[in-house]
Amino acid sequence: MESAPTALAARGGEAAERGQENYFLAPQPPAMSDPITLNVGGKLYTTSLATLTSFPDSMLGAMFSGKMPTKRDSQGNCFIDRDGKVFRYILNFLRTSHLDLPEDFQEMGLLRREADFYQVQPLIEALQEKEVELSKAEKNAMLNITLKQRVQTVHFTVREAPQIYSLSSSSMEVFNANIFSTSCLFLKLLGSKLFYCSNGNLSSITSHLQDPNHLTLDWVANVEGLPEEEYTKQNLKRLWVVPANKQINSFQVFVEEVLKIALSDGFCIDSSHPHALDFMNNKIIRLIRYR
């Protein structure tokens, strides 16, 4: 008579011949306290299932409770195609239910969009309270704008017929605005209204912020006779204001639109500076806000 181990081994060998996959055990779901590694936009984070599902109604809660499918990277880590840098603040909120940001944090807009994507409602509410707090802290503010304008000649080719081109030139107005404000929130507001037109697309000027308080804009007016593709070819950017969908072809229009935005945010014209002639000539604009 075969012993029990020998019989099991024999049957196991027969099963192996029929197909060993029948004897592979299905992977067990991780325990709530087991570490899980996430790949968020290329940045790795290690946490637990309990942390990721701490807010069941959120997208993360749905993803890691099996209600939504998850993707894997080449190393087997759960992959989320979102911003990896600010995810640390979202993960810390999942751990503690407290919003902890550094004093000089400058990516509130990005963090707000990420929180909205993950649908962590308590975090969204905490961010709203934080923004109100920051807005109140910026009661007094100064806005200073220095404007420069020049005219230069632009050369370009014009297609007159198939395979027939001629060289042409035209005068082009080039504008420069150097903007400084002690209120970084106002510059973000300004950035949400002004857009560059380049390569046929509109892009927010927010990406051109040199630092939270300083913004430099360079753009051109429409050039008579200049084909649309030449703007792209010569890297000539035009400036638009939304939601009015108005192109800014002069400093007068630029000043009018900036004043509308600034006055609606509580600024007023500083009558003591600059000189009235400079203001009328659209060279220097200074506004102040007292609350």
Side-chain angles (χ1 to χ4, degrees):
M1 176 182 292
E2 292 181 316
S3 64
T6 303
L8 287 173
R11 286 193 290 272
E14 294 171 1
E17 292 178 0
R18 293 193 303 270
Q20 292 184 349
E21 67 275 4
N22 295 332
Y23 279 78
F24 285 135
L25 294 177
Q28 296 298 312
M32 296 296 284
S33 60
D34 286 349
I36 295 178
T37 299
L38 305 181
N39 179 344
V40 184
K43 193 171 181 63
L44 299 181
Y45 291 92
T46 300
T47 184
S48 68
L49 190 61
T51 295
L52 293 171
T53 57
S54 55
F55 295 97
D57 293 335
S58 69
M59 181 176 290
L60 289 168
M63 288 173 63
F64 292 96
S65 62
K67 297 177 182 178
M68 290 180 61
T70 57
K71 296 180 180 179
R72 301 276 174 173
D73 64 12
S74 59
Q75 303 300 315
N77 302 314
C78 293
F79 176 73
I80 304 175
D81 189 17
R82 300 296 296 187
D83 188 275
K85 183 179 177 181
V86 300
F87 186 75
R88 60 173 294 196
Y89 304 109
I90 295 171
L91 186 56
N92 283 337
F93 188 87
L94 298 180
R95 290 165 172 156
T96 66
S97 296
H98 291 284
L99 177 62
D100 297 308
L101 300 175
E103 290 291 335
D104 59 346
F105 186 70
Q106 301 297 336
E107 296 185 288
M108 189 67 72
L110 174 59
L111 180 55
R112 185 174 62 250
R113 287 191 295 274
E114 293 302 292
D116 186 63
F117 171 79
Y118 292 112
Q119 283 298 294
V120 184
Q121 193 60 39
L123 175 57
I124 295 173
E125 294 171 0
L127 285 169
Q128 291 172 344
E129 293 175 2
K130 184 68 174 179
E131 289 184 318
V132 171
E133 176 187 328
L134 290 173
S135 179
K136 289 180 178 178
E138 287 193 335
K139 293 181 179 179
N140 300 333
M142 184 268 289
L143 172 64
N144 194 82
I145 305 176
T146 304
L147 304 171
K148 296 179 181 178
Q149 179 180 0
R150 70 181 191 276
V151 177
Q152 72 180 50
T153 301
V154 59
H155 301 280
F156 54 94
T157 56
V158 177
R159 184 182 182 185
E160 298 181 348
Q163 300 182 351
I164 299 177
Y165 295 85
S166 63
L167 184 62
S168 184
S169 63
S170 183
S171 296
M172 175 177 64
E173 289 185 284
V174 181
F175 305 102
N176 169 268
N178 198 308
I179 306 171
F180 172 81
S181 178
T182 56
S183 171
C184 59
L185 290 180
F186 173 75
L187 282 190
K188 289 182 179 179
L189 172 64
L190 191 64
S192 70
K193 306 288 186 180
L194 298 177
F195 285 74
Y196 276 137
C197 178
S198 180
N199 297 323
N201 299 311
L202 292 179
S203 62
S204 172
I205 64 171
T206 304
S207 59
H208 298 270
L209 280 168
Q210 296 178 344
D211 60 60
N213 301 100
H214 187 205
L215 173 66
T216 298
L217 298 177
D218 294 284
W219 76 97
V220 301
N222 270 345
V223 180
E224 184 178 356
L226 184 66
E228 185 65 30
E229 60 271 16
E230 287 290 333
Y231 287 96
T232 302
K233 183 178 179 181
Q234 301 196 35
N235 194 28
L236 302 175
K237 292 177 289 189
R238 289 160 290 179
L239 192 63
W240 286 72
V241 61
V242 297
N245 290 327
K246 180 190 297 184
Q247 185 174 348
I248 298 177
N249 278 317
S250 69
F251 269 147
Q252 180 179 350
V253 175
F254 177 78
V255 170
E256 289 174 355
E257 295 300 327
V258 171
L259 283 177
K260 288 179 187 177
I261 299 168
L263 294 175
S264 68
D265 199 47
F267 282 89
C268 61
I269 298 171
D270 185 353
S271 58
S272 63
H273 182 86
H275 191 278
L277 188 59
D278 285 334
F279 184 85
M280 294 300 293
N281 290 333
N282 294 336
K283 291 181 180 179
I284 300 175
I285 302 171
R286 182 171 179 175
L287 298 98
I288 51 177
R289 182 178 67 196
Y290 297 113
R291 288 179 176 172

